[in-house]
Structure formats: C-alpha cells, structure tokens
C-alpha cells in the first residue's frame, strides 16, 4: 500500500476505508480477523481504481551478483 498510496495515506486508508469486498470491514479489521492479505489488497484496489498493471506492486531489481534460489 505504501508504494501505491504513500505511507501516510496508506495508513489512513487501512484504518478508515470500509471495503464491501471483505465484509464491510476496513483493511485493518479484515487483516485482524484473519482474512488473506491478497484478498484485502484486491478489495482496496477495486475501491480505489488501482489499474491492473499496478496491482502486483512495483518491480524490484535484483542486486548484481545476487543468486536466485527456487
């Protein structure tokens, strides 16, 4: 949420925006109730009209010389 909305506004949204997609709860309430974070994030995206291409977050480059393990 910080990447999309900025840290201050993300906190406000998490605590005040009521999301129908998670049972009429705020993001904070939904997460505290044990809902899957991805479901909460997608509910926020729907309400805030976050474009599909930004719903996975920003790309983070792998540092040079870092190895990947799968």
């Amino acid at each position: 949420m910080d990447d999309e909305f900025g840290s201050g506004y993300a906190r406000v949204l998490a605590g005040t925006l009521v999301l129908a997609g998670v049972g009429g709860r705020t993001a904070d309430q939904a997460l505290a109730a044990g809902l899957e974070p991805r479901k909460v994030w997608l509910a926020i995206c729907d309400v805030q009209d976050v474009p599909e291409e930004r719903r996975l977050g920003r790309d983070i480059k792998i540092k040079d010389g870092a190895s990947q393990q799968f």
Side-chain angles (χ1 to χ4, degrees), residues 5-66:
F5 303 111
S7 61
Y9 189 49
R11 300 290 80 76
V12 171
L13 286 176
T16 62
L17 181 64
V18 176
L19 305 164
V22 292
R25 300 175 177 140
T26 66
D28 286 342
Q29 292 168 334
L31 293 170
L35 271 71
E36 184 180 330
R38 179 171 174 78
K39 182 174 183 171
V40 176
W41 169 243
L42 292 177
I44 292 167
C45 289
D46 289 343
V47 171
Q48 293 296 111
D49 294 322
V50 175
E52 291 288 330
E53 63 271 10
R54 292 202 319 249
R55 292 184 179 205
L56 294 178
R58 64 184 172 94
D59 288 337
I60 299 174
K61 293 183 179 183
I62 297 175
K63 293 182 181 180
D64 290 338

